[in-house]
Amino acid sequence: MAHAPLLAERARAQDARAVARLISMVEREDGSRLPELKALHQWTGRAHVIGITGPPGAGKSTLTDKLVAELRGRGRTVGVVAIDPSSPFTGGAILGDRIRMNRHATDEGVFIRSLATRGHLGGLSRATAETVRVLDAAGYQDIIIETVGVGQSEVDVVRLADTIVLVSVPGLGDDIQAIKAGVMEIGDVFCVNKADKDGAERVIREIRAMLETAVLNGAATRFSELYGALAAMGLGPDAKAGPGPGAGEASFAGAAAADEDAAGGYFQAGAAHHIANQARGHDELALPPVLATVAETGQGIKELVDAIKAHEAGLAATGLLAKRRVENLAWELGKAAADRILSGLEADERRGYLRAQAEAVLGKKTDFYDALEAIAQSLRAGS
Amino acid sequence: MERKIRVLVAKPGLDGHDRGAKVIARALRDAGMEVIYTGLRQTPEQIVGAAIQEDVDVVAMSILSGAHNHLFPRVVDLLKEKGVDDVLVIGGGVIPDDDIPGLKAAGIAEVFTPGTPTSVTIDYIKQNLKRKA
């Protein structure tokens, strides 16, 4: 049904009911959301999107609660998208992230929405990207995506978040080893929560060792790209003078000037590394911050927000923010296009066509590759 | 896509026993619903704020402290104040039979007392949603 984008207008005024309704329409992929989201489009792209990810039980929800409080204290409005898994058997879900953060439910500057994965893999729900856009357009300045508890490969959050906080925790034993190769590579800011527990120092050392190794191996990581860009601008741990020659030409130059000081904070947050690095004889290494927090008591939260905001400033100063958003949206468009093609293939009449092709392959009337080519051509001709 | 029934399970008031609320939450989950659980000691204002943001179909509250005659109607009134008229509000817990007519008159659609099979609550929700799937 076509109608004027009334919900969009109300959402722009941060009407919580309208925002909530829009997110529900997104979740059930309701076609009538399209005029609303189109109307909101011009207001998107302004929020700082922060991903909080890590294994189950790391304290992501409690940490998110404290981040919300700290950001509110700095005068920011905050949206939270908290994702929990759906049962693959019943489709039901218990969304419990609010237990830790419902004290913000009466704060009009905070909007929290729990999403179930509804069968989607990768640590997010399908609706996450559009939900973030709704909150962004509604004017929430910082948007926190809290992923499901992740294992090794649930890294979809890299496609949505500007800044990713990877939360680890002592006491998982070999789990720290297990996640090293997967999600450990996506962090911009590393946080060892429950740092008052035994073994926290060891986890911090292990993460630093892993990051050092990545740098020494020349691995292309999210943080190495940023450090490289900052160094090219004359910013960074070894910067002696002001911005380098290229800085003035950056498309983000205006914003960059204001952000340069803040960007340095990303290095300061990682300063402890340089001491450790010098002791090990490679003082040139620039590593992202690894911070110790005790979310329960609020210890280290201020420093964590400082590091998150410094990272954002660094992205803005170097122009990487804009570059990554282009890459991420291109990825999302590609995926959405593939989904649309797939849903075309899954339509009943297509199923019959696919079965006919399969029979032809099995009957040796054609081969797999010719059948595939025929299907691809029919898609191009048909839609 | 299929419409999911979303339920806010909330514990208003000061009692610290949420075993019953958790049993209901699990039963509703196993019936295929999405259950948002807010934890203990919620004010009516927090419950209503969460219900709106989560865009739930049902608010299910549990009280064991005896404060139901005050807190249940307060949630209904606050929802009305915010213009929310399509959410089914139900209650449970240790509630004397004599109090039930008053609660229903105040807008609590149904009250489930101890011993009610969870299947009764599930069927009730499915048959009495105010928004149609």
Side-chain angles (χ1 to χ4, degrees):
Chain A
M1 56 180 185
H3 58 84
L6 299 173
L7 284 172
E9 242 169 71
R10 287 169 52 200
R12 281 285 301 146
Q14 284 192 1
D15 174 336
R17 285 190 70 204
V19 173
R21 280 290 154 88
L22 283 170
I23 295 171
S24 295
M25 290 160 77
V26 164
E27 275 209 282
R28 59 175 186 268
E29 300 179 7
D30 185 332
S32 62
R33 79 188 187 287
L34 298 181
E36 308 280 0
L37 284 156
K38 282 163 175 261
L40 289 176
H41 173 62
Q42 62 176 310
W43 306 104
T44 59
R46 299 186 299 180
H48 177 204
V49 183
I50 302 161
I52 308 289
T53 193
K60 295 184 293 297
S61 296
T62 307
L63 204 60
T64 300
D65 169 67
K66 293 292 160 59
L67 290 177
V68 170
E70 175 69 22
L71 289 164
R72 291 295 290 144
R74 298 183 187 199
R76 308 277 293 177
T77 54
V78 187
V80 176
V81 187
I83 299 145
D84 268 331
S86 299
S87 160
F89 302 107
T90 66
I94 292 194
L95 309 172
D97 292 321
R98 257 188 192 271
I99 296 172
R100 312 279 176 229
M101 35 180 130
N102 210 38
R103 63 180 170 137
H104 302 293
T106 54
D107 178 351
E108 294 194 344
V110 178
F111 189 103
I112 300 169
R113 182 62 174 252
S114 313
L115 299 179
T117 54
R118 299 190 179 181
H120 191 74
L121 303 175
L124 302 178
S125 91
R126 265 169 76 96
T128 310
E130 283 184 54
T131 297
V132 167
R133 283 197 279 273
V134 169
L135 292 173
D136 184 0
Y140 294 97
Q141 295 167 310
D142 289 312
I143 298 172
I144 299 175
I145 303 172
E146 185 195 330
T147 73
V148 302
V150 298
Q152 290 186 308
S153 56
E154 293 93 337
V155 297
D156 278 4
V157 70
V158 301
R159 299 296 180 182
L160 292 181
D162 302 316
T163 301
I164 293 176
V165 180
L166 190 84
V167 187
S168 302
V169 69
L172 292 182
D174 282 347
D175 283 13
I176 190 77
Q177 303 288 338
I179 59 178
K180 267 181 189 173
V183 296
M184 290 303 277
E185 290 170 31
I186 68 171
D188 298 303
V189 175
F190 291 78
C191 163
V192 177
N193 193 34
K194 305 187 187 180
D196 53 343
K197 297 257 192 302
D198 283 349
E201 274 303 314
R202 205 193 77 203
V203 178
I204 291 170
R205 273 200 310 275
E206 283 176 356
I207 293 172
R208 284 180 177 161
M210 177 205 69
L211 294 169
E212 283 178 17
T213 307
V215 171
L216 290 171
N217 289 344
T221 58
R222 274 168 69 98
F223 70 85
S224 66
E225 189 184 17
L226 174 58
Y227 276 102
L230 284 165
M233 291 174 66
L235 293 165
D238 302 321
K240 289 165 186 78
E249 293 151 28
S251 58
F252 265 63
D259 285 332
E260 275 169 12
D261 285 345
Y266 187 51
F267 294 115
Q268 279 156 27
H273 298 304
H274 301 302
I275 299 163
N277 291 339
Q278 278 162 2
R280 297 163 72 112
H282 29 77
D283 57 354
E284 78 282 7
L285 291 190
L287 300 180
V290 185
L291 303 171
T293 58
V294 184
E296 204 66 46
T297 64
Q299 186 190 316
I301 297 300
K302 187 191 163 299
E303 292 77 7
L304 181 57
V305 171
D306 287 345
I308 290 168
K309 285 295 162 188
H311 179 260
E312 179 196 24
L315 287 179
T318 53
L320 267 184
L321 189 67
K323 181 173 167 254
R324 284 190 184 168
R325 284 182 176 181
V326 169
E327 283 168 7
N328 288 343
L329 192 61
W331 181 86
E332 192 189 335
L333 282 169
K335 202 163 180 298
D339 281 353
R340 183 172 285 199
I341 291 166
L342 194 64
S343 67
L345 277 173
E346 283 168 350
D348 283 346
E349 67 275 17
R350 287 282 184 194
R351 280 190 185 283
Y353 174 66
L354 290 179
R355 259 196 301 275
Q357 289 291 341
E359 281 167 7
V361 172
L362 289 170
K364 305 287 187 290
K365 293 190 179 68
T366 181
D367 62 45
F368 183 90
Y369 308 98
D370 284 345
L372 191 57
E373 186 56 34
I375 293 165
Q377 277 184 15
S378 82
L379 281 173
R380 257 174 258 145
S383 50
Chain B
M1 182 178 270
E2 170 204 7
R3 180 100 153 72
K4 281 275 171 209
I5 298 173
R6 285 170 68 87
V7 184
L8 186 76
V9 171
K11 283 283 304 170
L14 297 177
D15 74 89
H17 303 280
D18 63 351
R19 197 181 158 86
K22 283 178 175 161
V23 167
I24 280 292
R26 288 203 52 175
L28 299 180
R29 179 199 70 179
D30 290 343
M33 301 181 196
E34 291 183 353
V35 179
I36 295 104
Y37 183 53
T38 55
L40 295 168
R41 299 185 190 90
Q42 298 290 301
T43 65
E45 287 78 6
Q46 287 172 322
I47 291 169
V48 169
I52 289 172
Q53 292 177 5
E54 298 290 354
D55 196 23
V56 293
D57 305 286
V58 184
V59 173
M61 292 180 285
S62 158
I63 290 193
L64 306 176
S65 67
H68 48 270
N69 284 334
H70 170 63
L71 293 171
F72 283 179
R74 178 83 183 123
V75 168
V76 173
D77 291 346
L78 280 171
L79 283 168
K80 266 188 215 145
E81 263 176 46
K82 300 275 185 185
V84 180
D85 55 6
D86 57 357
V87 172
L88 178 70
V89 181
I90 58 178
V94 183
I95 293 165
D97 288 346
D98 289 353
D99 289 349
I100 293 176
L103 290 173
K104 288 192 173 178
I108 312 302
E110 190 54 271
V111 176
F112 301 94
T113 50
T116 309
T118 52
S119 59
V120 170
T121 309
I122 291 163
D123 288 342
Y124 181 84
I125 288 174
K126 286 183 175 167
Q127 283 157 22
N128 290 278
L129 290 174
K130 293 193 179 180
R131 296 189 210 158
K132 289 306 152 203

